[in-house]
Amino acid sequence: MNIINKHLVEQLGYNFINAPYLPAGKDEYYLRNQQNNSGINYRKLTALEIEVLVRNRNTSDDWSNILVSKQFSAELVKNCKFFGLVRIGKLEPLYLEFHNFKMPVGLYNSTIISSDFGDNVSIDNVNFLSHYIIGNEVMIANVNELATTDKAKFGNGIIKQGEKESVRVWLELGNENGGRGVMPYNHMLPGDAWIWSKYRDDEALMQKFKEFTENSFDNLHGYYGQIGHRTVIKNCKIIKDVLVGSDAYLKGANKLKNLTINSDEKRTTQIGEGCELVNGIVGYGCRIFYGAKAVRFIMSSHCQLKYGARLINSFLGNNSTISCCEVLNSLIFPAHEQHHNNSFLCAAVVMGQSNMAAGATIGSNHNSRAADGEIIAGRGFWPGLCVSLKHNSKFASFTIIAKGDFPAELNIPIPFSLVSNDVANDVLQVMPAYWFMYNMYALVRNSRKYVDRDRRTEKIQCIEYDFLAPDTVNEMFAGLKILQLLKPDAEGNATVTGWENTDRIIKILKLEKSIAAFKEMIQYYGTIEIFNKIQQHKPESFEALKKSVSAKIQRSEWLNVGGQLIQKSALETARRNIKAGKIKNWSGVHNFYKEEGAAYETDKCNHAYTSLLEILNITPKQFTPALLKQLLQQAVATKEKMCNGIYTAREKDYSSPFRKMVYDTNEEMNKVIGRLEDNSFIQEQLGELEAMKKQVKAVIRKLKL
């Protein structure tokens, strides 16, 4: 049965902190007073003000516990019930307006328990408002419950005094059985989540991360909920144990419980109709609309969750969008797109710049009765329409998967590949370097798009969006080792084993063209990074340039740490420093990201130089002015080839009869999709090519190559 406890009505609004958890010499308001930094000087009500309040049908258990500011107007408080200590700021005869929503300043038709209000708030028809600190010019109307409990954690994975470990909230990332669980906390970064979920065999590191999280908060009872300045809340049902930043907009939400909703004047967060969010962190500048559901989650800054999407036990990286679909037990790095209905993502680590199409089922457990499968997908992961994948599977960076039901686990070790099913012949087909050969338009455009759409204002992690970077280049080198051992057949294809958990043939398409494409792009990467260094640092001579770059004996190994590329050796050092106590908290971990980000340009250039020497099979002594001149000229040729590939990939949309058949005339087609020659991205790329030609000529002259 339901246990209904009965107390004396005069106790309503008091004893928020139970006696065992109240420090000696402190009253129940000590944390509230620390949290309220409004600077308002409160005073007691005058006899006349009490008379006006009573006349306006207000009640209080004790009028001496209603404190107000100097510019308080009792006429602007009507039909309210007050319990406990309530403090009210300035109330002036004004009305507030937000998006044509207009409310008079004041407190109306509400039950208010032990709460603080800033200046010129508008509160109307809040059935139960309990233990909140509300900022200036806040508008709240038609809310069933807006309350905070004494054990509120606001979405953080902590426990309070006297609570059992079983109540702690964990995010079970990348694996359904909780074996990679992390404790969520406000401002957790994708890198934090990945390192914590990845190195499960390092128990000392796991313990440190738990300590870092617990030490970021205290376990005291009695924190109040807060609503920041200028936040607007209307037509919501239940808001419980929620911290809300300034300038947020909450409208029509069904249930918001145990959350931190980050928002400020430059990065406003909005939550809309029918949404239900429980046990989570919402980052700055997020948009959550139209019946979206999220439970045990973190949304990093500038994410969108909408159109009935479900996000459960998952971490969503910055600048990502999920709509109309379901995501469970997943760790998703920044710049993820998943827009379509019936799209399902489960128990996966998706390393960013990813896009999932309609009907994709990533992580179905049809081949096991256990809930312990995982999928790991490098950045640039792009499963197409109605793709079905099974646990366990692993994909190199920039894997694109053609429509199909893949019957067994996959391990695709070569990047930039197209994976497809030849159903008629029961063959798995893999085309390495597909992007370079047939879809350069999307590859280059997406890299630019992600940079343009990165709306982070605090870039603690330096996210790499370029498709040519240390991680993908290292994968291409590894792919070349595999491909160069194969022998092409008469059609230029080859076969491999071990890439799919079946006995069927696995065919590698266009073997020699793939090898040539990888070699060309690695050489281009190495040359272009040196060219960029020349452009930025303007060395006076070739000798000065050569001294400024460092070639290691062996290419450095890199890891994708939440979207930030970090050398494996640097991360290993950081892990040791964490365990040794040299890195003492999450701020220290974040400083490590910043330091690595500051060094990234130099480290990447050194990696590029080493890669260039390796792909050319030369020593540093053989890197001469004449060779650099040749490489720069070849880089221009590659850039021109890329521009041609970009144009050709897009031109297909204008020349294919199956594309054109829906238009009666070319004029109709151009009106609908725009003229090819007006494509701004293509024009931008052609402009870059011409600029590069001039810059290369200038470098050759200046360095006397």
Side-chain angles (χ1 to χ4, degrees):
M1 67 176 183
N2 292 341
I3 299 174
I4 307 296
N5 295 312
K6 294 182 284 292
H7 305 277
L8 296 175
V9 69
E10 54 264 28
Q11 295 177 355
L12 181 58
Y14 302 96
N15 304 314
F16 184 54
I17 305 174
N18 290 330
Y21 307 118
L22 190 63
K26 303 289 186 181
D27 63 22
E28 65 172 293
Y29 308 120
Y30 81 103
L31 291 176
R32 171 183 179 180
N33 292 334
Q34 293 174 21
Q35 290 178 273
N36 188 337
N37 56 6
S38 66
I40 298 173
N41 293 317
Y42 296 105
R43 61 175 176 82
K44 290 185 178 295
L45 293 166
T46 65
L48 178 59
E49 287 170 333
I50 294 174
E51 181 180 337
V52 171
L53 289 168
V54 171
R55 186 174 68 241
N56 287 343
R57 301 180 305 282
N58 298 290
T59 65
S60 172
D61 65 302
D62 186 345
W63 289 112
S64 68
N65 279 334
I66 308 298
L67 304 181
V68 298
S69 73
K70 182 179 180 180
Q71 294 172 283
F72 168 79
S73 173
E75 293 289 355
L76 304 181
V77 181
K78 298 179 180 179
N79 199 31
C80 290
K81 300 176 183 178
F82 296 100
F83 298 91
L85 176 64
V86 176
R87 301 186 288 207
I88 306 170
K90 176 168 59 178
L91 296 180
E92 298 177 297
L94 305 168
Y95 76 86
L96 306 181
E97 181 177 4
F98 179 78
H99 292 179
N100 295 319
F101 176 49
K102 303 174 184 179
M103 290 180 64
V105 164
L107 279 63
Y108 307 98
N109 310 305
S110 300
T111 297
I112 297 169
I113 299 172
S114 192
S115 295
D116 293 344
F117 300 89
D119 292 334
N120 288 328
V121 299
S122 294
I123 311 294
D124 192 2
N125 195 33
V126 181
N127 295 337
F128 185 75
L129 196 167
S130 172
H131 297 92
Y132 258 89
I133 299 170
I134 295 170
N136 301 331
E137 298 177 5
V138 170
M139 303 170 69
I140 307 177
N142 305 322
V143 175
N144 289 355
E145 179 181 353
L146 178 60
T148 306
T149 64
D150 67 305
K151 297 189 285 274
K153 305 165 188 70
F154 308 112
N156 297 295
I158 57 175
I159 56 177
K160 296 290 185 173
Q161 292 171 326
E163 290 190 314
K164 296 179 180 179
E165 179 64 32
S166 59
V167 307
R168 188 190 301 274
V169 171
W170 291 83
L171 300 189
E172 297 170 4
L173 304 179
N175 191 299
E176 290 181 279
N177 67 7
R180 297 192 186 275
V182 305
M183 291 158 46
Y185 71 91
N186 193 24
H187 305 310
M188 189 178 210
L189 297 176
D192 305 339
W194 183 78
I195 297 171
W196 196 344
S197 64
K198 172 63 178 173
Y199 295 103
R200 306 309 288 194
D201 54 337
D202 192 340
E203 293 185 5
L205 185 70
M206 298 299 100
Q207 183 59 35
K208 282 291 185 181
F209 286 157
K210 185 175 181 181
E211 291 172 7
F212 286 179
T213 304
E214 290 179 328
N215 292 340
S216 298
F217 308 90
D218 59 49
N219 62 356
L220 301 174
H221 291 239
Y223 283 99
Y224 277 42
Q226 293 181 275
I227 297 173
H229 304 315
R230 300 174 300 279
T231 282
V232 177
I233 304 175
K234 68 176 185 179
N235 305 325
C236 294
K237 293 181 180 179
I238 298 172
I239 302 174
K240 188 171 184 179
D241 290 351
V242 178
L243 284 180
V244 185
S246 72
D247 303 279
Y249 185 25
L250 316 181
K251 56 174 181 174
N254 288 343
K255 184 174 185 178
L256 306 175
K257 182 179 179 182
N258 190 29
L259 305 171
T260 292
I261 301 173
N262 290 290
S263 181
D264 62 24
E265 57 189 7
K266 294 183 179 179
R267 301 169 293 177
T268 63
T269 291
Q270 299 181 15
I271 300 175
E273 293 82 356
C275 293
E276 296 171 2
L277 313 177
V278 179
N279 298 338
I281 308 291
V282 178
Y284 289 99
C286 287
R287 299 287 184 270
I288 307 173
F289 291 137
Y290 310 123
K293 318 295 182 188
V295 181
R296 294 179 180 250
F297 69 97
I298 290 182
M299 290 177 62
S300 301
S301 66
H302 303 101
C303 288
Q304 298 187 63
L305 190 70
K306 53 190 179 180
Y307 304 127
R310 284 87 70 203
L311 181 69
I312 301 170
N313 255 318
S314 295
F315 185 108
L316 184 61
N318 311 79
N319 303 296
S320 296
T321 297
I322 293 179
S323 60
C324 309
C325 57
E326 187 168 9
V327 176
L328 307 172
N329 301 96
S330 291
L331 170 54
I332 302 172
F333 291 8
H336 175 78
E337 301 285 333
Q338 191 171 346
H339 297 279
H340 308 285
N341 205 11
N342 303 320
S343 184
F344 178 73
L345 180 64
C346 178
V349 176
V350 182
M351 295 187 169
Q353 296 156 257
S354 40
N355 196 319
M356 281 186 55
T361 303
I362 310 304
S364 57
N365 241 333
H366 300 163
N367 58 340
S368 174
R369 288 184 293 274
D372 59 356
E374 300 181 16
I375 286 177
I376 300 174
R379 63 190 182 100
F381 183 57
W382 199 328
L385 292 169
C386 300
V387 164
S388 178
L389 300 176
K390 306 293 189 290
H391 292 122
N392 294 338
S393 288
K394 188 174 182 180
F395 303 93
S397 299
F398 292 92
T399 297
I400 184 169
I401 307 176
K403 178 180 179 179
D405 184 3
F406 292 84
E409 303 93 324
L410 293 169
N411 182 13
I412 307 301
I414 297 182
F416 301 102
S417 293
L418 170 65
V419 180
S420 59
N421 259 333
D422 178 356
V423 178
N425 297 303
D426 194 26
V427 171
L428 177 69
Q429 298 184 142
V430 179
M431 187 189 300
Y434 162 82
W435 290 92
F436 302 142
M437 293 187 282
Y438 298 109
N439 205 359
M440 188 61 76
Y441 182 93
L443 190 61
V444 178
R445 182 180 176 273
N446 284 347
S447 292
R448 301 297 176 88
K449 176 182 73 175
Y450 296 131
V451 173
D452 294 340
R453 295 181 181 179
D454 188 348
R455 293 178 291 166
R456 294 176 300 153
T457 57
E458 188 179 19
K459 297 183 179 180
I460 295 174
Q461 289 203 262
C462 173
I463 307 300
E464 176 62 271
Y465 297 117
D466 199 322
F467 61 91
L468 292 178
D471 61 335
T472 54
V473 168
N474 283 354
E475 286 182 315
M476 281 193 280
F477 270 113
L480 283 172
K481 285 186 177 180
I482 297 171
L483 297 176
Q484 288 171 331
L485 294 175
L486 303 177
K487 294 182 179 180
D489 58 20
E491 297 177 341
N493 304 322
T495 59
V496 295
T497 60
W499 292 17
E500 184 182 56
N501 189 20
T502 65
D503 295 328
R504 67 174 175 164
I505 294 173
I506 303 168
K507 183 179 292 187
I508 306 300
L509 306 181
K510 301 185 184 297
L511 177 64
E512 292 180 345
K513 288 185 178 181
S514 299
I515 291 172
F518 280 159
K519 287 182 176 180
E520 181 178 13
M521 297 312 296
I522 292 172
Q523 179 177 308
Y524 179 77
Y525 161 75
T527 305
I528 209 70
E529 286 300 321
I530 291 175
F531 176 65
N532 290 339
K533 188 177 184 70
I534 295 171
Q535 293 295 101
Q536 293 170 11
H537 300 284
K538 303 186 185 329
E540 293 298 321
S541 65
F542 176 80
E543 290 71 22
L545 168 66
K546 197 167 180 180
K547 288 179 180 178
S548 70
V549 292
S550 171
K552 296 184 178 180
I553 297 174
Q554 187 175 0
R555 272 178 296 108
S556 52
E557 191 173 348
W558 291 70
L559 298 171
N560 184 345
V561 183
Q564 179 176 0
L565 302 186
I566 297 177
Q567 293 182 85
K568 184 177 180 180
S569 59
L571 184 59
E572 292 302 315
T573 299
R575 287 173 58 189
R576 289 193 296 271
N577 288 340
I578 290 169
K579 291 183 287 187
K582 295 179 181 179
I583 295 178
K584 303 180 183 299
N585 46 41
W586 284 119
S587 294
V589 176
H590 296 175
N591 286 335
F592 163 71
Y593 298 149
K594 292 178 183 177
E595 291 167 0
E596 289 302 306
Y600 180 62
E601 178 187 303
T602 299
D603 292 339
K604 182 180 182 182
C605 186
N606 291 338
H607 176 271
Y609 182 45
T610 302
S611 300
L612 183 61
L613 298 180
E614 183 176 347
I615 202 66
L616 296 174
N617 194 26
I618 63 173
T619 66
K621 287 184 179 180
Q622 295 171 290
F623 184 67
T624 62
L627 178 58
L628 178 57
K629 178 181 179 179
Q630 178 185 344
L631 290 171
L632 289 172
Q633 291 169 338
Q634 288 177 346
V636 171
T638 299
K639 177 69 174 178
E640 192 161 14
K641 184 177 177 181
M642 291 169 65
C643 286
N644 290 335
I646 289 168
Y647 181 88
T648 301
R650 185 61 173 145
E651 192 270 339
K652 293 176 184 176
D653 294 336
Y654 291 81
S655 60
S656 167
F658 291 96
R659 292 280 189 173
K660 295 178 67 175
M661 66 184 181
V662 297
Y663 311 107
D664 292 337
T665 65
N666 283 337
E667 289 74 18
E668 180 189 357
M669 179 177 68
N670 289 334
K671 286 290 185 181
V672 173
I673 65 176
R675 298 195 313 160
L676 177 61
E677 53 267 35
D678 293 337
N679 184 289
S680 60
F681 174 67
I682 293 175
Q683 296 304 316
E684 175 190 280
Q685 290 300 303
L686 292 174
E688 286 186 10
L689 173 61
E690 292 306 311
M692 182 181 178
K693 289 178 180 179
K694 294 177 182 178
Q695 292 162 352
V696 165
K697 289 180 180 179
V699 166
I700 290 172
R701 284 196 306 269
K702 180 179 179 181
L703 298 184
K704 299 177 182 179
L705 302 178

